[in-house]
Amino acid sequence: MRQMHCTMWLEAVREVVSADDSDVKFIVSDHPVTIYNPRCPPDAMQCRYPDEPPIELNRLSKTIFALSANHCLIFTNLEYAKDPAGVDLLRPRQNPRHFGTTLARTDAWIRTRKLSRAGVIAINHILKSRARRYIAAAEEEWLYPERAAAPTWSDIGKDSCTAAGKTSCGTSAARSSSGTPTGRSSYQDAFGSDVPRPRIPAQGFSSG
């Protein structure tokens, strides 16, 4: 799964949210890497185990992974993070692909957002809803997030799972170019689209 989705995860907005300000902490489950899509509730055909809403076909899908009781990783597709109200939610993200190649920064993360109690409960409800059989938490009360979560699936992760407006430091992929001593060069945009560049003279390189 990591190899299958790694390219698109690297090109997403990557955020680690904190539960430090909440008395409720994140739970864990036997289905730890969870895809949340507000258009695909747990009883939807796309969510029947072991299927997940496809991250490559819908800009609205978010990948959620609880790292610890106090931290949770969220991947959000770049187009949606930039403009949640302006994208067509049923269209694919730009240049979706499995097992692809990309250039990305591994130090580009958002780590500034601290969720409220309601935000942590919302994520816990998503994690529990996608669990196959087992969930675990430090407190028994945390195992029942549905008692306090938003009433509809589409509203559950509206605030807690969205990193909108923070893309400048949260996306690891960006416009970049590369070259070799032989004069070959390439250009890649933020979505991994590789645009060939004309051959340039190999000036300034030394064969060593």
Side-chain angles (χ1 to χ4, degrees):
M1 187 178 194
R2 176 187 61 81
Q3 292 179 340
M4 180 177 181
H5 296 310
C6 187
T7 300
M8 288 184 285
W9 282 337
L10 280 172
E11 293 171 355
V13 175
R14 303 182 310 193
E15 181 178 28
V16 177
V17 296
S18 168
D20 287 342
D21 290 350
S22 170
D23 60 320
V24 177
K25 306 301 180 182
F26 297 114
I27 67 173
V28 294
S29 80
D30 57 358
H31 191 69
V33 180
T34 300
I35 310 299
Y36 169 70
N37 189 312
R39 299 286 182 89
C40 299
D43 58 352
M45 182 177 295
Q46 299 95 325
C47 295
R48 293 179 181 174
Y49 187 86
D51 292 336
E52 295 273 12
I55 67 170
E56 72 276 10
L57 296 179
N58 199 313
R59 295 173 179 176
L60 200 53
S61 294
K62 307 173 193 302
T63 303
I64 303 171
F65 176 41
L67 300 171
S68 67
N70 271 318
H71 297 94
C72 182
L73 173 63
I74 301 174
F75 292 131
T76 303
N77 287 327
L78 178 59
E79 292 158 293
Y80 181 79
K82 281 185 173 180
D83 186 12
V87 298
D88 183 347
L89 302 179
L90 299 180
R91 290 183 58 195
R93 54 148 276 179
Q94 292 188 42
N95 195 28
R97 64 211 186 280
H98 295 301
F99 302 104
T101 58
T102 190
L103 291 174
R105 290 181 55 182
T106 58
D107 62 342
W109 297 80
I110 298 173
R111 298 185 61 102
T112 57
R113 193 154 62 107
K114 295 184 177 182
L115 298 185
S116 64
R117 186 179 197 271
V120 175
I121 290 175
I123 288 182
N124 284 347
H125 184 58
I126 295 169
L127 296 174
K128 181 178 180 178
S129 298
R130 300 297 296 131
R132 185 183 184 190
R133 185 175 180 183
Y134 298 106
I135 58 174
E139 301 287 342
E140 183 177 359
E141 176 189 359
W142 304 348
L143 297 174
Y144 303 97
E146 64 276 8
R147 294 173 178 173
T152 63
W153 182 255
S154 60
D155 291 335
I156 289 174
K158 182 176 293 184
D159 297 322
S160 58
C161 295
T162 300
K166 300 179 180 180
T167 58
S168 60
C169 64
T171 178
S172 59
R175 294 184 179 90
S176 57
S177 59
S178 61
T180 69
T182 62
R184 293 183 179 275
S185 63
S186 63
Y187 168 82
Q188 175 185 292
D189 63 16
F191 302 99
S193 297
D194 188 18
V195 181
R197 292 294 189 184
R199 181 182 292 272
I200 58 177
Q203 296 179 355
F205 291 100
S206 173
S207 59

